[in-house]
């Protein structure tokens, strides 16, 4: 309950900050404000199929240990969302089917093996958030499963009942958070919450021209100290009207992939990023 109260307090503080600014989502020159009617139309009329989390294809070495063929690899993620209902549900919500797949590919080794594939389907209810006719973000309640599809001692699997939020504090700052109740059904990863925790928080900063994006995501591992898994990223939009970016990602901590969730990784990779229209989920 303490974690839930902290998460809700964070979201309320962010919303309060927007309200104190008279709920006006100020925009850089040349950008229109995100009013409630236009966003509601966008949610109702958007294609049923679209992007969910960041989609990327990146390559790079380990940081700290000497780079080798074994610890220099490709990491890529494919993430999509499918709206399941034609009309708006009660309380202005929408039902979605989510699917993300993350892969680690040791392209420098003989036979170029894909060493770890993580499958992450889910289903959830999303509610856009409006304050005084201004769109400020969204809340999502979801049930998700994550596993690596392997058997025997290499099998990894767990489930989460989660509440996630994205809140636009200003046009240049978006904060996000997620808290979950884990249901661990994998025989060989019973201690996964020690490394992947119960909650995460992060922020994303955008330049006025929307060409540069920087972000941080912190996943709090189990315990009362400051142990965390941290992802830092930086992206540059290649063309002003496209959603393709040059992408740099740095990961430091445990749980980057399911197979070696209990082994520490520090990795830097660069490549191509494709993002959703407004902001990504995490």
């Amino acid at each position: 309950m303490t974690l839930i109260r902290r998460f809700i307090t964070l979201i309320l503080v962010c919303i309060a900050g927007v309200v104190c600014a008279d709920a006006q989502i100020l925009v850089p020159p040349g950008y229109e404000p995100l009013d409630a009617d236009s966003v509601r139309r966008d949610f109702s009329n958007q294609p049923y199929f679209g992007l969910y989390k960041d989609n990327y294809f990146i390559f790079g070495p380990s940081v700290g240990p000497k780079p080798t063929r074994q610890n220099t690899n490709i990491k890529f993620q494919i993430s999509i969302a499918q709206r399941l209902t034609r009309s708006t549900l009660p309380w202005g919500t929408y039902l979605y089917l989510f699917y993300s797949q993350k892969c680690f590919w040791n392209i420098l080794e003989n036979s170029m093996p894909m060493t770890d594939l993580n499958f992450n389907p889910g289903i959830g209810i999303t509610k856009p958030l409006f304050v005084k006719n201004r769109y400020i973000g969204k809340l999502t309640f979801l049930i998700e499963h994550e596993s690596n599809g392997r058997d025997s001692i290499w099998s990894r699997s767990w489930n989460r009942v989660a509440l996630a939020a994205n809140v636009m504090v200003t046009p240049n700052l978006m904060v996000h958070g997620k808290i979950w109740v884990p249901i661990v059904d994998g025989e060989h990863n019973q201690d996964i919450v020690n490394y992947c925790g119960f909650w995460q928080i992060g922020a994303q900063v955008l330049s006025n021209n929307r060409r540069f994006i920087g972000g941080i995501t912190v996943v709090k591992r189990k315990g009362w100290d400051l142990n965390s898994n941290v992802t830092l990223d930086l992206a540059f939009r290649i063309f002003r009207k496209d959603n393709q970016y040059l992408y740099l990602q740095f990961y430091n901590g445990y749980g980057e992939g399911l197979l070696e969730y209990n082994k520490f990784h520090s990795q830097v990779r660069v490549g191509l990023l494709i993002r959703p229209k407004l902001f990504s989920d995490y």
Side-chain angles (χ1 to χ4, degrees):
M1 292 302 294
T2 301
L3 292 177
I4 294 175
R5 285 197 295 269
R6 289 179 180 175
F7 180 80
I8 294 174
T9 300
L10 168 70
I11 300 305
L12 291 177
V13 167
C14 295
I15 294 175
V18 178
V19 174
C20 290
D22 198 24
Q24 298 297 316
I25 302 298
L26 303 178
V27 295
Y31 289 87
E32 294 297 326
L34 298 175
D35 67 275
D37 291 339
S38 64
V39 173
R40 286 192 180 99
R41 286 194 301 269
D42 189 49
F43 266 88
S44 298
N45 300 327
Q46 66 179 319
Y48 284 94
F49 182 82
L51 301 183
Y52 176 42
K53 300 179 181 179
D54 283 343
N55 288 253
Y56 53 77
F57 193 91
I58 51 180
F59 171 79
S62 175
V63 176
K66 180 181 178 180
T68 66
R69 292 187 178 187
Q70 288 71 38
N71 63 22
T72 302
N73 59 21
I74 286 175
K75 174 185 176 184
F76 65 86
Q77 178 170 276
I78 299 169
S79 184
I80 55 177
Q82 172 76 22
R83 184 158 59 92
L84 298 178
T85 53
R86 177 182 296 273
S87 58
T88 305
L89 299 178
W91 303 294
T93 60
Y94 302 84
L95 180 65
Y96 282 89
L97 182 67
F98 304 114
Y99 179 75
S100 300
Q101 181 173 316
K102 183 167 56 179
C103 177
F104 297 86
W105 185 9
N106 285 23
I107 194 172
L108 299 182
E109 292 190 62
N110 292 333
S111 78
M112 298 186 292
M114 292 188 177
T115 57
D116 191 13
L117 281 78
N118 299 171
F119 307 94
N120 181 205
I123 189 169
I125 295 285
T126 293
K127 178 176 177 54
L129 299 175
F130 303 97
V131 174
K132 294 186 178 180
N133 206 40
R134 288 292 181 267
Y135 177 62
I136 65 167
K138 63 181 179 180
L139 280 172
T140 300
F141 175 79
L142 70 157
I143 301 172
E144 56 183 338
H145 170 79
E146 188 174 24
S147 64
N148 64 350
R150 301 181 68 170
D151 57 9
S152 187
I153 62 173
W154 298 280
S155 175
R156 307 285 186 268
S157 176
W158 69 323
N159 308 281
R160 295 183 290 187
V161 180
L163 177 66
N166 302 62
V167 176
M168 299 168 64
V169 181
T170 75
N172 303 98
L173 175 63
M174 185 272 287
V175 297
H176 57 87
K178 186 175 182 180
I179 187 169
W180 56 83
V181 177
I183 304 171
V184 182
D185 56 354
E187 179 182 354
H188 301 285
N189 57 271
Q190 289 294 309
D191 61 346
I192 193 169
V193 295
N194 294 344
Y195 301 92
C196 297
F198 297 90
W199 60 277
Q200 68 182 43
I201 193 170
Q204 186 179 90
V205 179
L206 294 83
S207 64
N208 282 343
N209 62 7
R210 297 309 197 249
R211 298 297 292 272
F212 292 92
I213 302 174
I216 180 172
T217 302
V218 178
V219 179
K220 178 65 179 69
R221 300 198 296 269
K222 187 176 181 180
W224 295 104
D225 53 11
L226 298 179
N227 57 350
S228 302
N229 305 324
V230 179
T231 303
L232 298 172
D233 45 37
L234 181 65
F236 171 73
R237 189 194 298 262
I238 302 173
F239 301 105
R240 185 179 295 274
K241 294 185 179 181
D242 290 348
N243 65 340
Q244 300 177 34
Y245 297 76
L246 297 177
Y247 185 49
L248 170 67
Q249 183 190 87
F250 172 69
Y251 188 92
N252 186 79
Y254 296 85
E256 186 180 26
L258 283 180
L259 184 62
E260 298 183 336
Y261 71 92
N262 56 359
K263 294 183 179 180
F264 181 84
H265 292 270
S266 188
Q267 199 99 10
V268 61
R269 301 181 180 93
V270 296
L272 181 68
L273 166 70
I274 302 173
R275 301 184 68 247
K277 181 179 179 181
L278 290 178
F279 45 66
S280 296
D281 286 86
Y282 295 86

